[in-house]
Amino acid sequence: MVTTTIARPLIRRLTIERFRGIKNLVWYPKPGVNVILGGGDVGKTTILDAVALLLHPTNTATLTDADYWRREVENGFCIEAVMSVPDGCGINQQTKNAWPWEWNGKDPIQPKMDGDPAVKEASDAVYCLRVRGTADFDVVFEVLQPDAAADHFSVSVRRSIGLVRLGGDDRNDRDLRLIQGSALDRLLSDKTLRSRLGKLLASSDIEEQLHDDAKKKLRILDKAFRESALPDGLGLGLTGGQSFSLNALIGLTANKDGVDLPLSTWGAGTRKLAALEIAAAHHGESPITVVDEIERGLEPYRQRILMEQIQSGNSQVFLTTHSAAALSAARNASLWYVDATGTIGRLPDRAESHERRDPETFLARIAIVAEGATEVGFVTALLKRAIGDDLLARGIWVTDGCGNVASLDLLEGLANSGLKFGGFADNEGTFPDRWAALKKKLDNLLFRWPSGCIEENLIKLVPPQDLETFIRDSKDEYTGDRLRTLAYRLGLADKDFSSIVAHSPDLTALVIAAATGTVPDDKKDAEKSVKKVLQKHAEKWFKSAEGGTELAAKVFDFNLWPQLKRQLLPFLNAVRAALSFSEITDLPS
């Protein structure tokens, strides 16, 4: 078998089954920095915890029933990674060797032996590494062999692969201490320090530092031991054990104003940056790095510094963020999104410009791509009636897709990555096949009018006798301008409504044309300046988020909802379902 080796550990495929809130997930992360985005409670941190548990540097990991899917402990959980592992990690230098698989880009396959005619060129060597949580709350680390056997995945190999974990508020960051397997421990690699410290501390008369009352109690305890035939001559000394090491008490200190202070007591940002520096100091080593909420405790400028530092390294990194500042600095990272269904997918290249313009879209629990500003206002107002006023608190974000085609491109790219975003768009009669394919993927999360645009579909439902009132806005700010656009289209100097009605053969069509900025057929050959004036008429009507909100209010003020309910309610219920809310049968008036 001819295989190639690599200089750093890489997770090629991560599979999670029944771990915490994730029932099943298969993910192919990229070699560099993987930024996981999404709203709250969709599984982002669980993915990081799965990686951290798989590479846990000790055998002391403890489980609770909350670590199992729906607390179904009897079914256990399983986390498996197909990994490329450097030879220096010692995976092939154990008492019982682990044999590599071959990687075909999607799955590990049985290795082909040298001389096999199917072997034409070198292939990547990978290992199948697994951690299981059993029904007895045991944690089992395993290496899956190509012959289907499962051998022990040793602590020494896990430590050699390396894990740097930058958490949130834990002020005793393990990588700043000489805890076994920590980044600092691997960097200094002084294996005899523990025994030397033990001898040094054993020779210290610690009990002499006790107060007299405490000394007396220790003598009484010693007498009780002696009378019970237990070891006597009791004293005090710092001792270690299986889950606690003397070395764990030793951590980095740094000088501040002439005083040496433990680095673990410094700010969160300093500790995060320090831990990365320790990891970078491993000459030739590139441990797997896990960072949960990179922005926690960091000012925006330090978020950018940390993100740049992470991207400049050679490690495979898994991080989460809710910060627009950190996201804007992730120029060389692969961006992934976990949607409300728990599906993870890579954000397509076509989403890059939208991510820069409106990063909140990819930090929400569920985002709706609305075709334009009018749709943003309209959809937001409807969702507030369907779900509640505080959409942001529920992880809902409505974003401006900047046009019909741009919205199609964005939603199409996201859907092709397996992600479920909402969409709300006009039907301009273009790209029918692409829209149909998108509808098939998103189902009711995509709403499109049967034909035409939002203004056309709503205004045509208004009885002609109500149009005069419909034209008025709540603040009476645009009413005069709207009447003026109608009079201009009729060639009237007088803009009063009665004159407009008297000269208009079809008042509804006239209002729709003005509200949408449509150039009439008889003006198609007019000068450019004239057509521009006609197109700008829409600005006085509903072409804004405020205009969309106004339209949504008029739907109920003019009792149009009963005629729209059948079209719009499935979309609203699809958004509710994405948030695990029950279905509703109507909206409050």
Side-chain angles (χ1 to χ4, degrees):
M1 178 178 63
V2 181
T3 59
T4 59
T5 58
I6 61 167
R8 57 174 173 160
L10 291 176
I11 295 178
R12 303 300 188 102
R13 186 184 75 188
L14 179 69
T15 304
I16 302 174
E17 295 180 351
R18 301 181 303 279
F19 180 58
R20 297 186 184 168
I22 296 178
K23 183 179 182 181
N24 184 273
L25 180 142
V26 179
W27 182 31
Y28 297 84
K30 295 299 180 180
V33 179
N34 296 273
V35 180
I36 306 174
L37 307 173
D41 301 321
V42 294
K44 304 186 300 299
T45 298
T46 299
I47 294 172
L48 300 191
D49 288 345
V51 173
L53 181 58
L54 178 73
L55 299 176
H56 200 280
T58 71
N59 285 330
T60 59
T62 57
L63 302 177
T64 70
D65 60 345
D67 291 316
Y68 297 76
W69 167 254
R70 293 183 176 176
R71 296 190 168 181
E72 296 173 354
V73 177
E74 64 277 8
N75 294 328
F77 69 75
C78 179
I79 301 163
E80 182 182 309
V82 179
M83 289 191 67
S84 296
V85 179
D87 287 340
C89 289
I91 197 167
N92 285 320
Q93 299 169 7
Q94 306 175 92
T95 304
K96 189 170 184 180
N97 285 343
W99 293 95
W101 301 65
E102 291 183 14
W103 178 244
N104 67 6
K106 184 178 180 181
D107 300 296
I109 59 175
Q110 292 280 348
K112 302 178 180 66
M113 303 307 296
D114 295 341
D116 189 327
V119 179
K120 296 181 180 179
E121 57 184 21
S123 60
D124 288 341
V126 295
Y127 296 86
C128 293
L129 310 176
R130 181 172 72 185
V131 60
R132 293 187 293 111
T134 72
D136 296 321
F137 294 97
D138 292 327
V139 183
V140 181
F141 296 92
E142 297 173 317
V143 178
L144 304 182
Q145 302 280 32
D147 64 357
D151 295 328
H152 180 59
F153 181 21
S154 69
V155 169
S156 61
V157 174
R158 300 200 305 268
R159 290 178 182 169
S160 296
I161 291 172
L163 175 72
V164 173
R165 188 173 189 182
L166 306 185
D169 297 325
D170 183 7
R171 302 194 67 83
N172 295 305
D173 302 75
R174 67 183 316 276
D175 284 316
L176 303 181
R177 295 175 174 272
L178 281 175
I179 297 172
Q180 288 185 331
S182 71
L184 184 60
D185 180 48
R186 297 198 308 274
L187 173 65
L188 300 183
S189 191
D190 190 339
K191 301 184 183 303
T192 65
L193 178 62
R194 180 178 181 178
S195 61
R196 299 201 312 273
L197 283 175
K199 292 178 181 179
L200 178 63
L201 293 171
S203 65
S204 300
D205 200 358
I206 297 176
E207 58 266 27
E208 285 302 316
Q209 306 302 317
L210 295 173
H211 293 299
D212 290 341
D213 185 56
K215 290 179 181 178
K216 181 179 179 180
K217 291 178 180 178
L218 185 60
R219 288 194 298 270
I220 294 172
L221 181 63
D222 182 59
K223 180 181 178 181
F225 268 47
R226 187 165 54 252
E227 291 175 349
S228 299
L230 291 171
D232 58 1
L234 299 182
L236 290 180
L238 292 176
T239 61
Q242 184 175 9
S243 61
F244 183 78
S245 168
L246 292 176
N247 293 13
L249 295 174
I250 300 174
L252 286 178
T253 64
N255 188 278
K256 185 174 184 180
D257 298 328
V259 179
D260 289 333
L261 296 175
L263 205 59
S264 60
T265 66
W266 292 51
T270 298
R271 300 194 321 271
K272 285 183 177 180
L273 292 169
L276 278 182
E277 287 295 343
I278 295 170
H282 288 249
H283 302 291
E285 290 190 22
S286 302
I288 300 292
T289 302
V290 173
V291 189
D292 194 14
E293 295 186 13
I294 192 173
E295 67 275 10
R296 191 179 298 179
L298 293 176
E299 302 83 1
Y301 79 94
R302 297 193 84 180
Q303 294 175 30
R304 297 185 183 95
I305 291 173
L306 182 53
M307 186 64 81
E308 292 291 347
Q309 185 173 345
I310 287 174
Q311 292 176 102
S312 66
N314 196 40
S315 293
Q316 188 179 36
V317 181
F318 303 88
L319 67 85
T320 66
T321 185
H322 297 96
S323 166
L327 190 54
S328 66
R331 290 183 290 272
N332 298 318
S334 298
L335 303 183
W336 303 84
Y337 183 85
V338 183
D339 66 19
T341 69
T343 300
I344 187 169
R346 190 178 181 189
L347 293 183
D349 293 340
R350 67 184 77 179
E352 287 184 5
S353 60
H354 198 92
E355 176 265 316
R356 289 191 295 270
R357 184 175 58 81
D358 189 7
E360 289 278 0
T361 303
F362 307 106
L363 302 175
R365 184 173 175 83
I366 181 170
I368 293 93
V369 179
E371 175 177 318
T374 305
E375 286 76 14
V376 168
F378 186 78
V379 171
T380 300
L382 288 187
L383 286 173
K384 285 182 177 181
R385 288 177 180 266
I387 295 174
D389 284 340
D390 199 347
L391 299 182
L392 294 180
R394 301 180 185 276
I396 303 171
W397 185 257
V398 183
T399 187
D400 188 340
C402 296
N404 191 268
V405 176
S407 297
L408 173 60
D409 287 342
L410 177 59
L411 286 168
E412 204 171 43
L414 295 168
N416 288 341
S417 295
L419 300 172
K420 295 251 181 187
F421 279 59
F424 198 100
D426 295 338
N427 187 342
E428 299 181 354
T430 57
F431 307 110
D433 293 339
R434 291 173 61 189
W435 280 112
L438 182 61
K439 178 67 174 179
K440 189 173 181 180
K441 291 180 178 179
L442 299 183
D443 196 20
N444 286 332
L445 272 175
L446 174 63
F447 176 86
R448 293 177 75 218
W449 298 104
S451 64
C453 63
I454 185 171
E455 294 92 342
E456 179 182 352
N457 279 274
L458 298 185
I459 295 172
K460 70 182 182 182
L461 299 178
V462 181
Q465 65 270 21
D466 291 338
L467 281 174
E468 182 177 11
T469 308
F470 186 89
I471 288 171
R472 294 186 176 279
D473 64 287
S474 59
K475 298 179 181 179
D476 217 24
E477 184 178 355
Y478 298 108
T479 306
D481 288 332
R482 291 173 181 176
L483 290 171
R484 190 174 292 108
T485 64
L486 299 177
Y488 180 90
R489 289 171 177 267
L490 295 172
L492 301 177
D494 195 346
K495 66 169 187 175
D496 68 274
F497 190 74
S498 59
S499 297
I500 292 170
V501 172
H503 290 82
S504 176
D506 189 338
L507 183 60
T508 298
L510 178 67
V511 172
I512 291 173
T516 56
T518 302
V519 178
D521 291 338
D522 61 352
K523 294 290 193 299
K524 296 291 186 183
D525 297 326
E527 294 183 4
K528 187 176 181 179
S529 59
V530 174
K531 289 193 286 187
K532 189 174 182 179
V533 170
L534 291 166
Q535 292 167 346
K536 287 176 70 67
H537 283 172
E539 297 176 3
K540 303 300 182 181
W541 290 77
F542 309 112
K543 291 299 183 186
S544 64
E546 294 77 10
T549 303
E550 181 188 346
L551 275 178
K554 290 180 184 296
V555 164
F556 296 92
D557 291 344
F558 289 83
N559 198 32
L560 307 181
W561 174 247
Q563 301 175 73
L564 296 168
K565 172 181 171 180
R566 186 175 179 182
Q567 297 179 65
L568 290 168
L569 200 56
F571 166 76
L572 299 174
N573 272 321
V575 177
R576 286 180 59 89
L579 299 171
S580 300
F581 293 166
S582 60
E583 185 174 309
I584 56 176
T585 58
D586 209 345
L587 292 184
S589 58

